[in-house]
Amino acid sequence: TAQNKSIKSALRTAVKKAYIAIDTNAENKAEAVRLAVKKIDQAAAKGILHKNTAARSKSNLAKRLNASA
């Protein structure tokens, strides 16, 4: 549905922004990751993402963030 598509689109945008923030070592990288994780959790709660997929995405973000520190 259109609603699922908009949620998924916002999710992908947030995750992309988080990865860009981490890769460019931006000051707001922790905040960007926090927002992306929130979007991932919301999508998983609504059944748009499988919970294991959500966990994997969050894990990859956290791993990348910690490696850049």
Side-chain angles (χ1 to χ4, degrees):
T1 63
Q3 196 171 8
N4 285 357
K5 190 172 183 178
S6 94
I7 291 167
K8 219 170 194 177
S9 175
L11 166 70
R12 279 195 295 260
T13 303
V15 170
K16 196 160 102 178
K17 281 183 179 171
Y19 278 127
I20 290 170
I22 291 168
D23 291 342
T24 59
N25 207 19
E27 287 178 25
N28 66 339
K29 63 183 177 183
E31 177 68 13
V33 169
R34 192 182 67 77
L35 288 174
V37 166
K38 184 178 179 183
K39 291 280 186 193
I40 291 169
D41 284 336
Q42 286 174 340
K46 291 187 168 102
I48 295 164
L49 281 184
H50 190 276
K51 67 184 182 99
N52 290 359
T53 306
R56 190 174 65 242
S57 299
K58 294 191 308 188
S59 173
N60 287 335
L61 271 171
K63 224 186 287 182
R64 199 113 168 270
L65 180 64
N66 291 336
S68 75

